[in-house]
């Protein structure tokens, strides 16, 4: 039988009180919510025939100004999730005709990545479906709750990025490529 978060916290309290005393249940819950959210994204994009890394790359191109073109370096730096296999993702998306590789007029040694019409249409079809799933995740929260949650998350990120410890700005998933 799978243990829920409350069961895990209670087990910690009962059997490892010194750990329970210094842990942060909110961060454990945040981790659980994040894991569920990543699974929702994965299942949603897979239902459209994509992998998470593919969707990440397509959304990165789409949120940039038309004609939605970036160099591979700019693309990598603009992605929310890190993809160690960027070349593999680019090759897969090019074969699916969701992106095109075009000559870079500023550097003849490199190619630019442009979102194709087919890729733009696909990512624009997926996003409303994903947003509907996100709405279901947060339906227990009011607009004010969501605003407060966002502000709290921003404060945590600012705090993490203001110290001497450097935290990654992108999430690395082993199954993204």
């Amino acid at each position: 039988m799978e243990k829920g978060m409350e069961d895990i916290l209670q087990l910690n309290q009962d059997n490892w009180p010194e750990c329970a005393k210094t842990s942060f249940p909110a961060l454990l819950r945040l981790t659980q919510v994040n894991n569920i959210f990543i699974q929702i994204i994965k299942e949603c994009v897979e239902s459209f025939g994509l992998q998470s890394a593919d969707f990440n790359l397509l959304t990165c191109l789409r949120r940039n100004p038309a004609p939605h073109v970036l160099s591979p370096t700019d693309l990598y730096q603009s992605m929310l999730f890190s993809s160690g296999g960027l070349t593999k993702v680019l090759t897969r998306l090019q074969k699916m005709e969701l992106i095109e590789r075009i000559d870079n007029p500023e550097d003849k040694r490199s190619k630019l990545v442009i979102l194709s019409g087919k890729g733009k249409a696909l990512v624009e079809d997926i996003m409303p479906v994903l947003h509907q799933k996100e709405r279901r995740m947060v339906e227990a929260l009011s607009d004010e709750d969501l605003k407060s949650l966002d502000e709290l998350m921003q404060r945590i990120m600012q705090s993490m990025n203001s110290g001497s410890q450097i935290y990654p700005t992108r999430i690395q998933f082993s199954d993204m490529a």
Side-chain angles (χ1 to χ4, degrees):
M1 183 165 134
E2 189 175 319
K3 300 282 184 194
M5 182 56 67
E6 299 312 311
D7 297 322
I8 292 168
L9 292 170
Q10 189 61 52
L11 285 168
N12 241 7
Q13 183 64 45
D14 294 345
N15 301 300
W16 199 3
E18 59 275 13
C19 176
K21 202 180 293 184
T22 58
S23 72
F24 294 92
L27 292 179
L28 294 174
R29 288 185 181 95
L30 180 62
T31 299
Q32 186 177 35
V33 168
N34 180 64
N35 290 341
I36 292 166
F37 181 59
I38 296 302
Q39 187 61 35
I40 287 170
I41 293 172
K42 185 176 185 289
E43 289 171 4
C44 180
V45 301
E46 284 178 356
S47 73
F48 285 87
L50 296 175
Q51 294 181 27
S52 296
D54 303 339
F55 180 68
N56 181 23
L57 193 141
L58 293 174
T59 58
C60 180
L61 285 168
R62 178 59 185 91
R63 73 175 154 260
N64 278 278
H68 314 296
V69 61
L70 291 170
S71 71
T73 300
D74 290 337
L75 186 58
Y76 181 80
Q77 292 172 351
S78 299
M79 293 172 70
L80 289 176
F81 304 104
S82 179
S83 178
L86 184 61
T87 301
K88 189 164 55 169
V89 175
L90 290 171
T91 300
R92 183 170 53 242
L93 292 175
Q94 190 171 11
K95 283 181 185 174
M96 296 170 74
E97 299 178 348
L98 300 175
I99 63 164
E100 298 171 24
R101 304 292 306 270
I102 59 174
D103 290 332
N104 184 344
E106 296 175 16
D107 182 357
K108 298 297 180 199
R109 297 167 296 158
S110 70
K111 298 270 189 185
L112 297 173
V113 180
I114 187 168
L115 186 63
S116 71
K118 182 179 175 182
K120 183 176 182 279
L122 180 61
V123 77
E124 289 176 355
D125 285 345
I126 295 171
M127 199 54 77
V129 175
L130 182 58
H131 286 170
Q132 182 63 34
K133 293 177 183 297
E134 290 172 348
R135 271 191 285 287
R136 278 190 233 127
M137 280 186 71
V138 298
E139 66 188 0
L141 302 177
S142 69
D143 289 344
E144 188 61 34
D145 290 337
L146 287 170
K147 183 179 178 193
S148 295
L149 179 61
D150 184 45
E151 289 169 357
L152 291 169
M153 293 296 101
Q154 286 180 47
R155 284 174 39 198
I156 289 172
M157 292 299 298
Q158 287 169 353
S159 173
M160 290 173 62
N161 293 324
S162 67
S164 60
Q165 173 72 36
I166 297 174
Y167 292 93
T169 57
R170 291 184 300 259
I171 301 166
Q172 176 68 49
F173 295 99
S174 57
D175 68 339
M176 292 295 286

